[in-house]
Amino acid sequence: MNAMKKSQLVAVSVYLFANCLLIPISAIADTTPSNLESTTVDSTRNIAGQLLNSLGQKLKTALSTDGPLAAVSVCKEAAPAIANSLSAEHGVQITRVGTRARNQKMGIPNVWQKEALTQFEERLAAGEKPADLEYWKVVETANGKRELHYAKAIAVQPQCLSCHGQAQDIPAALAEKIRQEYPNDQATGYSAGKLRGAVVITKPL
Ligand code: HEC
């Protein structure tokens, strides 16, 4: 009888001990990328969508009402303004980067953003659709904090070519305007369907 009690006690102790171990393990598991997917990645994807939508609408209106020459200034002012206000509103850093950049301050990819663009190029070459190209990674920063790196691909569409197409196809006045505003512009020579760049977001976790 005594022996039975002892073994029951051992079983209960093992159970409790295992549970004590399990609680912190499951708490750690809750913060893995797969669980982040449904919450943080979703809301981050949403912010990227907002940038693409508002910019797309601004560009469309500017192109149809005032033409491409005026639309250059709209892009110049609207793109950074929308990015900055979304950054402030959501506590993230959001911008657009290019495989070749026009805006030399905001448009040049850093190391992880380059990695995302390289992955997108490979996946495009393997037959994936531009709209499906998305990248994310949770990383630990030098000061021990964690952040989410998120990128969504931007493909070239026919309406982008007046400002990003082959240099010889861009009307002279438009090319001149772009040169004035962006003397170090690299962002021409694209054709429809090619990877133009990505919306990139860094979100502290
Ligand atoms: C009217 C000319 C014009 C058209 C049309 C245009 N863009 Fe741009 N694009 C610009 C300008 C100007 C900038 C630089 C904006 C800035 O200063 O942030 C730019 C910058 C970008 C960037 C940021 C990276 C970089 O090079 O600085 C991306 C990505 C981009 N454009 C994609 C597109 C796509 C995709 C389309 C078509 C849907 C498009 N653009 C149509 C003028 C244009």
Side-chain angles (χ1 to χ4, degrees), residues 4-203:
M4 262 293 269
K5 273 191 184 149
K6 223 180 227 172
S7 73
Q8 276 175 343
L9 203 69
V10 167
V12 167
S13 313
V14 166
Y15 174 79
L16 286 177
F17 180 67
N19 262 348
C20 287
L21 278 181
L22 275 179
I23 291 160
I25 288 169
S26 61
I28 290 166
D30 272 341
T31 58
T32 59
S34 61
N35 286 320
L36 272 170
E37 187 176 339
S38 53
T39 51
T40 313
V41 174
D42 272 357
S43 63
T44 309
R45 176 184 301 123
N46 202 335
I47 304 170
Q50 287 179 45
L51 178 77
L52 288 172
N53 280 345
S54 12
L55 206 53
Q57 248 151 40
K58 273 238 151 65
L59 184 65
K60 202 170 156 198
T61 311
L63 283 173
S64 61
T65 54
D66 304 313
L69 214 56
V72 171
S73 310
V74 172
C75 277
K76 188 176 184 193
E77 275 140 42
I82 296 170
N84 288 340
S85 86
L86 283 172
S87 296
E89 184 184 340
H90 297 283
V92 299
Q93 267 177 283
I94 179 170
T95 185
R96 293 181 308 165
V97 292
T99 49
R100 299 191 294 279
R102 177 154 293 166
N103 183 323
Q104 302 295 309
K105 280 205 194 102
M106 295 175 83
I108 297 178
N110 66 16
V111 173
W112 76 261
Q113 293 159 358
K114 236 181 228 156
E115 180 186 304
L117 290 175
T118 304
Q119 190 195 96
F120 290 161
E121 296 275 25
E122 286 166 4
R123 289 167 63 187
L124 265 185
E128 280 193 59
K129 294 203 176 67
D132 297 337
L133 298 175
E134 198 181 39
Y135 162 109
W136 70 83
K137 207 179 232 182
V138 175
V139 296
E140 196 158 312
T141 60
N143 56 7
K145 302 221 166 103
R146 295 163 76 246
E147 57 188 31
L148 173 71
H149 291 166
Y150 174 91
K152 174 139 191 61
I154 304 174
V156 177
Q157 298 162 41
Q159 68 268 30
C160 317
L161 295 177
S162 52
C163 295
H164 295 296
Q166 301 303 323
Q168 68 269 22
D169 297 337
I170 300 176
L174 186 53
E176 181 52 31
K177 171 85 177 163
I178 293 172
R179 213 175 3 256
Q180 273 170 14
E181 303 280 3
Y182 301 91
N184 298 314
D185 180 34
Q186 309 291 317
T188 56
Y190 289 93
S191 49
K194 289 275 186 280
L195 184 69
R196 173 65 189 87
V199 179
V200 289
I201 301 179
T202 299
K203 182 184 169 66

